[in-house]
Amino acid sequence: MSLNDRKEIYDNIVFDYAAVKTNVFKSKYEESSFWKALDDIKGISVLDLACGSGYYTRQFKEKHSTEVVGVDVSGEMITDAEKYESENPLGIKYHTHDASNYVHGHPFDLVTAQYLLCYAETEQKLSDFCFNAHQNTKPG
């Protein structure tokens, strides 16, 4: 599946995508495991790759991360995230971009990619995703 195919899939399901967040498995298992693995995120900067419509991205800010940036290949997902941001301002910046080559102006304390690696169609693309996450992360 090409980048354009992935983009189009998410561009077309942006409104239905919100329903996924109410899935019992997601709320009971995925989210609790995610936050447990991250521990305390208060006062850190976060880059959320493949952020979709900003579900986790918003939670980073609500849990008192200092700077939060979300990136997704789907312009419609980013539009949805920005709409929420304009209605409920948290100070999050969103960018429509391919996560395999997005580079922010400075590195972050934490880079997440909750729903990214499953889109690596080749070993090279998986390597690009991981390398780019590393490039956006502060040393140490």
PDB file of all heavy atoms in Angstrom, residues 16-30:
ATOM      1  N   ASP A  16     -15.532   8.382  11.002  1.00  0.00           N
ATOM      2  CA  ASP A  16     -15.764   7.084  11.632  1.00  0.00           C
ATOM      3  C   ASP A  16     -14.626   6.688  12.569  1.00  0.00           C
ATOM      4  O   ASP A  16     -14.812   5.880  13.473  1.00  0.00           O
ATOM      5  CB  ASP A  16     -15.915   5.989  10.568  1.00  0.00           C
ATOM      6  CG  ASP A  16     -17.146   6.201   9.705  1.00  0.00           C
ATOM      7  OD1 ASP A  16     -18.135   6.748  10.220  1.00  0.00           O
ATOM      8  OD2 ASP A  16     -17.111   5.820   8.524  1.00  0.00           O
ATOM      9  N   TYR A  17     -13.470   7.248  12.358  1.00  0.00           N
ATOM     10  CA  TYR A  17     -12.274   6.896  13.128  1.00  0.00           C
ATOM     11  C   TYR A  17     -12.463   7.184  14.617  1.00  0.00           C
ATOM     12  O   TYR A  17     -11.960   6.467  15.464  1.00  0.00           O
ATOM     13  CB  TYR A  17     -11.072   7.667  12.578  1.00  0.00           C
ATOM     14  CG  TYR A  17      -9.750   7.244  13.149  1.00  0.00           C
ATOM     15  CD1 TYR A  17      -9.189   6.022  12.836  1.00  0.00           C
ATOM     16  CD2 TYR A  17      -9.050   8.093  14.007  1.00  0.00           C
ATOM     17  CE1 TYR A  17      -7.961   5.639  13.355  1.00  0.00           C
ATOM     18  CE2 TYR A  17      -7.824   7.725  14.532  1.00  0.00           C
ATOM     19  CZ  TYR A  17      -7.286   6.496  14.203  1.00  0.00           C
ATOM     20  OH  TYR A  17      -6.078   6.126  14.724  1.00  0.00           O
ATOM     21  N   ALA A  18     -13.211   8.211  14.945  1.00  0.00           N
ATOM     22  CA  ALA A  18     -13.441   8.561  16.351  1.00  0.00           C
ATOM     23  C   ALA A  18     -14.115   7.414  17.100  1.00  0.00           C
ATOM     24  O   ALA A  18     -13.869   7.216  18.292  1.00  0.00           O
ATOM     25  CB  ALA A  18     -14.273   9.834  16.445  1.00  0.00           C
ATOM     26  N   ALA A  19     -14.938   6.642  16.427  1.00  0.00           N
ATOM     27  CA  ALA A  19     -15.632   5.525  17.070  1.00  0.00           C
ATOM     28  C   ALA A  19     -14.663   4.453  17.545  1.00  0.00           C
ATOM     29  O   ALA A  19     -14.920   3.761  18.533  1.00  0.00           O
ATOM     30  CB  ALA A  19     -16.654   4.922  16.122  1.00  0.00           C
ATOM     31  N   VAL A  20     -13.534   4.318  16.880  1.00  0.00           N
ATOM     32  CA  VAL A  20     -12.523   3.331  17.272  1.00  0.00           C
ATOM     33  C   VAL A  20     -12.048   3.596  18.702  1.00  0.00           C
ATOM     34  O   VAL A  20     -11.741   2.677  19.456  1.00  0.00           O
ATOM     35  CB  VAL A  20     -11.335   3.359  16.286  1.00  0.00           C
ATOM     36  CG1 VAL A  20     -10.192   2.505  16.778  1.00  0.00           C
ATOM     37  CG2 VAL A  20     -11.792   2.928  14.913  1.00  0.00           C
ATOM     38  N   LYS A  21     -12.019   4.848  19.080  1.00  0.00           N
ATOM     39  CA  LYS A  21     -11.510   5.226  20.399  1.00  0.00           C
ATOM     40  C   LYS A  21     -12.403   4.743  21.530  1.00  0.00           C
ATOM     41  O   LYS A  21     -12.000   4.739  22.680  1.00  0.00           O
ATOM     42  CB  LYS A  21     -11.315   6.747  20.496  1.00  0.00           C
ATOM     43  CG  LYS A  21     -10.453   7.324  19.387  1.00  0.00           C
ATOM     44  CD  LYS A  21      -9.125   6.645  19.289  1.00  0.00           C
ATOM     45  CE  LYS A  21      -8.299   7.246  18.170  1.00  0.00           C
ATOM     46  NZ  LYS A  21      -7.173   6.454  17.788  1.00  0.00           N
ATOM     47  N   THR A  22     -13.646   4.346  21.235  1.00  0.00           N
ATOM     48  CA  THR A  22     -14.553   3.859  22.272  1.00  0.00           C
ATOM     49  C   THR A  22     -14.519   2.337  22.399  1.00  0.00           C
ATOM     50  O   THR A  22     -15.220   1.779  23.230  1.00  0.00           O
ATOM     51  CB  THR A  22     -15.989   4.316  21.986  1.00  0.00           C
ATOM     52  OG1 THR A  22     -16.417   3.757  20.741  1.00  0.00           O
ATOM     53  CG2 THR A  22     -16.088   5.838  21.950  1.00  0.00           C
ATOM     54  N   ASN A  23     -13.726   1.668  21.597  1.00  0.00           N
ATOM     55  CA  ASN A  23     -13.592   0.220  21.640  1.00  0.00           C
ATOM     56  C   ASN A  23     -13.144  -0.226  23.031  1.00  0.00           C
ATOM     57  O   ASN A  23     -12.203   0.326  23.598  1.00  0.00           O
ATOM     58  CB  ASN A  23     -12.572  -0.196  20.564  1.00  0.00           C
ATOM     59  CG  ASN A  23     -12.301  -1.667  20.544  1.00  0.00           C
ATOM     60  OD1 ASN A  23     -11.812  -2.239  21.504  1.00  0.00           O
ATOM     61  ND2 ASN A  23     -12.598  -2.280  19.417  1.00  0.00           N
ATOM     62  N   VAL A  24     -13.804  -1.234  23.597  1.00  0.00           N
ATOM     63  CA  VAL A  24     -13.501  -1.703  24.953  1.00  0.00           C
ATOM     64  C   VAL A  24     -12.062  -2.175  25.062  1.00  0.00           C
ATOM     65  O   VAL A  24     -11.369  -1.869  26.046  1.00  0.00           O
ATOM     66  CB  VAL A  24     -14.478  -2.833  25.364  1.00  0.00           C
ATOM     67  CG1 VAL A  24     -14.067  -3.453  26.687  1.00  0.00           C
ATOM     68  CG2 VAL A  24     -15.884  -2.300  25.429  1.00  0.00           C
ATOM     69  N   PHE A  25     -11.568  -2.931  24.080  1.00  0.00           N
ATOM     70  CA  PHE A  25     -10.186  -3.397  24.116  1.00  0.00           C
ATOM     71  C   PHE A  25      -9.231  -2.213  24.202  1.00  0.00           C
ATOM     72  O   PHE A  25      -8.293  -2.206  24.988  1.00  0.00           O
ATOM     73  CB  PHE A  25      -9.860  -4.241  22.884  1.00  0.00           C
ATOM     74  CG  PHE A  25      -8.426  -4.660  22.832  1.00  0.00           C
ATOM     75  CD1 PHE A  25      -7.974  -5.753  23.541  1.00  0.00           C
ATOM     76  CD2 PHE A  25      -7.500  -3.931  22.094  1.00  0.00           C
ATOM     77  CE1 PHE A  25      -6.632  -6.129  23.516  1.00  0.00           C
ATOM     78  CE2 PHE A  25      -6.163  -4.290  22.061  1.00  0.00           C
ATOM     79  CZ  PHE A  25      -5.737  -5.398  22.776  1.00  0.00           C
ATOM     80  N   LYS A  26      -9.496  -1.199  23.406  1.00  0.00           N
ATOM     81  CA  LYS A  26      -8.628  -0.024  23.391  1.00  0.00           C
ATOM     82  C   LYS A  26      -8.599   0.656  24.752  1.00  0.00           C
ATOM     83  O   LYS A  26      -7.545   0.938  25.292  1.00  0.00           O
ATOM     84  CB  LYS A  26      -9.073   0.965  22.317  1.00  0.00           C
ATOM     85  CG  LYS A  26      -8.221   2.210  22.298  1.00  0.00           C
ATOM     86  CD  LYS A  26      -8.610   3.098  21.171  1.00  0.00           C
ATOM     87  CE  LYS A  26      -7.752   4.311  21.066  1.00  0.00           C
ATOM     88  NZ  LYS A  26      -6.466   4.282  21.690  1.00  0.00           N
ATOM     89  N   SER A  27      -9.775   0.914  25.285  1.00  0.00           N
ATOM     90  CA  SER A  27      -9.815   1.649  26.549  1.00  0.00           C
ATOM     91  C   SER A  27      -9.332   0.813  27.731  1.00  0.00           C
ATOM     92  O   SER A  27      -8.669   1.331  28.629  1.00  0.00           O
ATOM     93  CB  SER A  27     -11.218   2.186  26.804  1.00  0.00           C
ATOM     94  OG  SER A  27     -12.137   1.128  26.883  1.00  0.00           O
ATOM     95  N   LYS A  28      -9.623  -0.462  27.731  1.00  0.00           N
ATOM     96  CA  LYS A  28      -9.271  -1.305  28.879  1.00  0.00           C
ATOM     97  C   LYS A  28      -7.820  -1.778  28.853  1.00  0.00           C
ATOM     98  O   LYS A  28      -7.183  -1.866  29.902  1.00  0.00           O
ATOM     99  CB  LYS A  28     -10.207  -2.507  28.935  1.00  0.00           C
ATOM    100  CG  LYS A  28     -10.054  -3.336  30.194  1.00  0.00           C
ATOM    101  CD  LYS A  28     -11.114  -4.393  30.288  1.00  0.00           C
ATOM    102  CE  LYS A  28     -10.960  -5.178  31.579  1.00  0.00           C
ATOM    103  NZ  LYS A  28     -11.987  -6.200  31.720  1.00  0.00           N
ATOM    104  N   TYR A  29      -7.307  -2.102  27.676  1.00  0.00           N
ATOM    105  CA  TYR A  29      -5.975  -2.697  27.604  1.00  0.00           C
ATOM    106  C   TYR A  29      -4.922  -1.805  26.952  1.00  0.00           C
ATOM    107  O   TYR A  29      -3.869  -1.570  27.503  1.00  0.00           O
ATOM    108  CB  TYR A  29      -6.032  -4.047  26.878  1.00  0.00           C
ATOM    109  CG  TYR A  29      -6.944  -5.023  27.564  1.00  0.00           C
ATOM    110  CD1 TYR A  29      -8.189  -5.321  27.028  1.00  0.00           C
ATOM    111  CD2 TYR A  29      -6.576  -5.616  28.761  1.00  0.00           C
ATOM    112  CE1 TYR A  29      -9.044  -6.202  27.668  1.00  0.00           C
ATOM    113  CE2 TYR A  29      -7.424  -6.502  29.405  1.00  0.00           C
ATOM    114  CZ  TYR A  29      -8.652  -6.788  28.853  1.00  0.00           C
ATOM    115  OH  TYR A  29      -9.486  -7.650  29.503  1.00  0.00           O
ATOM    116  N   GLU A  30      -5.225  -1.334  25.741  1.00  0.00           N
ATOM    117  CA  GLU A  30      -4.227  -0.561  25.007  1.00  0.00           C
ATOM    118  C   GLU A  30      -3.837   0.709  25.750  1.00  0.00           C
ATOM    119  O   GLU A  30      -2.657   0.974  25.981  1.00  0.00           O
ATOM    120  CB  GLU A  30      -4.746  -0.194  23.624  1.00  0.00           C
ATOM    121  CG  GLU A  30      -3.773   0.683  22.844  1.00  0.00           C
ATOM    122  CD  GLU A  30      -4.389   1.273  21.605  1.00  0.00           C
ATOM    123  OE1 GLU A  30      -4.958   0.503  20.801  1.00  0.00           O
ATOM    124  OE2 GLU A  30      -4.295   2.499  21.436  1.00  0.00           O
TER     125      GLU A  30
END
